[in-house]
Amino acid sequence: MKAKAFIFDLDGVLTDTARYHYLAWKELADKLGYYFDQEINERLKGVSRIKSFQIILEVNNALNKYTLEEQEKFANEKNDIYVELIKNVTNNDILPGINELLEKCKESNIKCAVASASKNAFSVLENLGIKDKFDYISDARLIKNTKPDPEVFIDCMKALNLLPNECIGFEDAEAGIEAIQAAKMMSVGINVTCNNIKPTLEFKSTSEIDFDKIIEVHNSLN
Ligand code: B16
Ligand code: MG
């Protein structure tokens, strides 16, 4: 089966907003008197907003301190800080090689979609100036089950009217690779650390993404 779509994760694949997530969580954690560092932030990559806050609480042995409603209130506070910070995102924040890759997809008639857990994906893509380059952007607010559940990748596939073996997913987080594989698509890992599974193909960074190699591997699978 021919490859017909590339489905991209946002944070860590198209841009690196992890530092803004870090700064926003750090401000909230400091206010609440909880420990939070870059290492804990790594564990929040690809994880939903509320689950991220629960990880911070868990590390601080405070998971049972708040009701879900209170947790949501604090997670929203973090989001207000994050929304302010991402106003600084510009096209300079597009990761190296991504513009060229999107161009190559267009030339080769490969559709492009975004499968992000972020409810801020639309504004980040708008600020990056690449929103119009995608045929479909999944709306995280409508996705019930977050990664490693395949729902967001399946949503993109259905919107593009394609089959799993016509789609290739790109991810920087293990939960995302799991989600792509659960959707029965070929997975491409970008600087991903996986403990339990292995992506079909891996690149150390976005600048090393090799379009021809991806197509070659995809052809050999089908
Ligand atoms: P928001 P991705 C994920 O985006 C981030 O990696 C993760 O750190 C964040 O908590 C999550 O989005 C939710 O983001 O709070 O903006 O809804 O990697 O799936 O593009
Ligand atoms: Mg990611």
Side-chain angles (χ1 to χ4, degrees):
M1 197 67 87
K2 235 175 132 220
K4 293 193 178 151
F6 282 8
I7 306 177
F8 299 96
D9 172 49
L10 175 64
D11 291 332
V13 173
L14 301 177
T15 187
D16 184 13
T17 39
R19 69 177 192 282
Y20 295 127
H21 281 296
Y22 171 78
L23 291 171
W25 282 125
K26 180 76 181 146
E27 193 173 322
L28 179 74
D30 284 352
K31 186 188 126 175
L32 297 174
Y34 292 136
Y35 181 74
F36 183 64
D37 63 14
Q38 294 278 8
E39 211 179 309
I40 305 168
N41 195 54
E42 283 300 305
R43 291 179 51 196
L44 311 186
K45 287 188 175 173
V47 173
S48 72
R49 195 181 304 165
I50 191 72
K51 181 84 185 86
S52 297
F53 186 53
Q54 288 165 348
I55 291 174
I56 297 171
L57 290 177
E58 203 180 336
V59 170
N60 287 275
N61 289 321
L63 194 53
N64 298 322
K65 204 171 158 192
Y66 305 108
T67 62
L68 187 58
E69 214 177 18
E70 287 167 327
Q71 289 178 11
E72 273 163 358
K73 187 184 129 287
F74 287 127
N76 287 340
E77 244 181 71
K78 174 264 173 180
N79 191 53
D80 291 342
I81 305 166
Y82 180 71
V83 166
E84 274 308 305
L85 290 171
I86 56 170
K87 286 185 182 159
N88 299 315
V89 169
T90 68
N91 63 352
N92 286 326
D93 295 299
I94 302 169
L95 285 171
I98 292 298
N99 272 323
E100 295 76 359
L101 181 64
L102 295 176
E103 211 39 56
K104 193 95 188 152
C105 287
K106 201 174 167 195
E107 283 165 20
S108 315
N109 264 328
I110 300 233
K111 298 228 178 295
C112 290
V114 178
S116 171
S118 175
K119 296 184 171 104
N120 295 294
F122 288 87
S123 34
V124 171
L125 288 165
E126 184 86 67
N127 293 354
L128 290 171
I130 54 174
K131 193 162 155 256
D132 297 343
K133 299 203 176 188
F134 296 96
D135 299 281
Y136 181 71
I137 300 162
S138 186
D139 185 346
R141 287 165 295 194
L142 306 177
I143 301 297
K144 286 191 198 77
N145 305 298
T146 50
K147 301 165 190 176
D149 190 282
E151 188 176 338
V152 67
F153 285 95
I154 291 173
D155 178 55
C156 291
M157 177 190 85
K158 285 190 175 158
L160 298 173
N161 211 3
L162 295 174
L163 296 168
N165 58 2
E166 295 174 313
C167 301
I168 301 174
F170 293 70
E171 262 289 349
D172 70 314
E174 183 169 25
I177 297 291
E178 277 180 56
I180 298 169
Q181 294 189 348
K184 305 211 175 340
M185 296 171 188
M186 170 176 157
S187 61
V188 178
I190 311 293
N191 185 29
V192 67
T193 313
C194 286
N195 297 315
N196 305 313
I197 43 156
K198 216 179 139 37
T200 322
L201 187 61
E202 279 179 77
F203 296 103
K204 284 201 199 77
S205 67
T206 52
S207 54
E208 289 183 25
I209 296 177
D210 181 341
F211 180 88
D212 295 335
K213 179 82 193 163
I214 296 169
I215 299 298
E216 185 194 311
V217 171
H218 185 266
N219 286 341
S220 73
L221 296 175
N222 291 280

